[in-house]
Amino acid sequence: MFAIIGLVGVFFCVFGGYVIFGGKMGIIVEALPKEIMIIGGSGLSSFLITNSTHTVKASGKDIKKIFAGSPFHKKEYIELLSLLYQILKTMKSKGVLAIEQHIEKPLESNIFNAYPAVMKSNTTVKFIADYLRMYSIGVDNPMEMESLMEAEIDKMKHEDQHSSHAIQGLADALPALGIVAAVLGVIKTMASISEPPEVLGKLIGGALVGTFMGIFLAYCLAAPIAGRLKGIAEEDSLFYGVIKTAVVAHLGGYAPQVSIEAARKKVPSEYMPDFNELEELLSQIS
């Protein structure tokens, strides 16, 4: 929602302000196709040269994230904590073998399927099942488990930020590409130096549209998109940090309630349920 408001606001303030203070859109509209071809075309081409096929495809898909944001909100965090509590409680009372069937086939597990908000994320389900499986086969040292989980979380965050880094690289290049377009416009203008001032003024104005478009696309569109995608990747990594905290605390010998409380403290403040709210929910889990 805020992304849409922001985009509308950018266009209104820039172009609306230009018109309100006496600017004429005609010269911009006339020059726009040529400038978009030069700046947009060369920018897209350099983007394809710089980045791998995977990053290019991921960038195209990730653009929608600026409107949807992170998929993890309070509901998802509460269900995650509840799922982890049920698993840890089962392990504590019945042993690790009691959850073996659940971690081997989580999509068929009645425990996992009781939490649909978590099940929407295949990556989350796989992450939980993989590390519980490692625990079941003998990785029971808290420090070793924490190191392994941190390494994977860092890898996931790094991979999720490929799109933001790629788009930020494009944002850095766009002002220079705008200058290229402007210089080409100046060359065209110099070839018409004998024309009357009104013609030269129009040609110079068209050339300057290139500089304007490069800066506008870079700082009003590409850079904000890159920044938002980077922030979403960082928000997503916090979700997996909650899982890590709960599992490591359990391996340290803490009771399920204590492990989940430690994990609750890792939830971002805007989504974190208070102690009493979570305790009431957990008390209903058999």
Side-chain angles (χ1 to χ4, degrees):
M1 181 62 180
F2 284 110
I4 295 173
I5 294 173
L7 283 172
V8 172
V10 162
F11 279 92
F12 175 77
C13 291
V14 172
F15 293 102
Y18 171 73
V19 172
I20 289 171
F21 290 104
K24 296 181 180 180
M25 288 295 295
I27 189 169
I28 294 179
V29 171
E30 184 178 340
L32 203 56
K34 301 187 288 289
E35 305 301 340
I36 289 296
M37 179 180 177
I38 295 171
I39 301 169
S42 60
L44 179 60
S45 299
S46 65
F47 185 82
L48 296 176
I49 294 169
T50 305
N51 299 290
S52 67
T53 302
H54 173 77
T55 300
V56 171
K57 290 180 178 178
S59 298
K61 290 197 306 185
D62 286 349
I63 292 296
K64 345 181 252 195
K65 288 184 178 180
I66 67 169
F67 302 105
S70 173
F72 306 125
H73 304 97
K74 186 171 183 177
K75 179 182 178 182
E76 284 74 22
Y77 276 104
I78 288 177
E79 286 204 9
L80 176 64
L81 293 171
S82 301
L83 168 62
L84 292 171
Y85 175 74
Q86 186 167 358
I87 291 173
L88 298 183
K89 184 179 179 182
T90 302
M91 291 168 62
K92 190 75 171 179
S93 60
K94 299 179 182 179
V96 69
L97 292 178
I99 65 161
E100 187 171 353
Q101 60 178 329
H102 300 287
I103 59 178
E104 290 300 329
K105 296 181 179 180
L107 298 181
E108 301 174 11
S109 164
N110 62 313
I111 292 180
F112 278 90
N113 281 296
Y115 304 98
V118 176
M119 289 296 289
K120 287 190 298 184
S121 171
N122 291 329
T123 305
T124 301
V125 174
K126 185 175 182 295
F127 186 84
I128 295 171
D130 283 351
Y131 284 100
L132 291 178
R133 187 181 297 110
M134 290 179 66
Y135 171 59
S136 71
I137 62 176
V139 183
D140 57 0
N141 183 296
M143 293 182 66
E144 290 180 0
M145 184 66 81
E146 183 174 22
S147 178
L148 289 170
M149 296 181 85
E150 279 184 353
E152 182 164 2
I153 292 170
D154 286 343
K155 183 192 77 169
M156 291 165 63
K157 181 168 73 170
H158 177 74
E159 291 176 348
D160 285 346
Q161 290 181 343
H162 281 174
S163 297
S164 67
H165 292 154
I167 295 173
Q168 183 59 55
L170 176 62
D172 293 339
L174 283 170
L177 295 175
I179 293 173
V180 169
V183 169
L184 290 174
V186 171
I187 292 172
K188 177 184 175 183
T189 301
M190 295 305 293
S192 305
I193 196 68
S194 60
E195 296 292 335
E198 58 270 18
V199 175
L200 289 176
K202 189 175 181 180
L203 291 171
I204 294 171
L208 292 176
V209 171
T211 304
F212 159 71
M213 286 303 301
I215 296 172
F216 175 78
L217 293 173
Y219 296 112
C220 294
L221 294 178
I225 288 172
R228 181 64 182 129
L229 291 179
K230 180 180 179 181
I232 291 171
E234 291 174 348
E235 290 175 33
D236 289 353
S237 71
L238 298 177
F239 197 71
Y240 299 96
V242 171
I243 301 170
K244 179 198 74 174
T245 300
V247 172
V248 171
H250 176 77
L251 294 184
Y254 291 102
Q257 294 90 336
V258 178
S259 299
I260 296 305
E261 176 58 19
R264 184 184 74 87
K265 293 293 187 181
K266 295 289 290 184
V267 176
S269 298
E270 60 182 315
Y271 303 133
M272 185 172 69
D274 63 39
F275 178 84
N276 293 327
E277 179 185 3
L278 185 61
E279 185 178 38
E280 183 178 349
L281 291 170
L282 297 182
S283 67
Q284 300 170 16
I285 297 175
S286 57

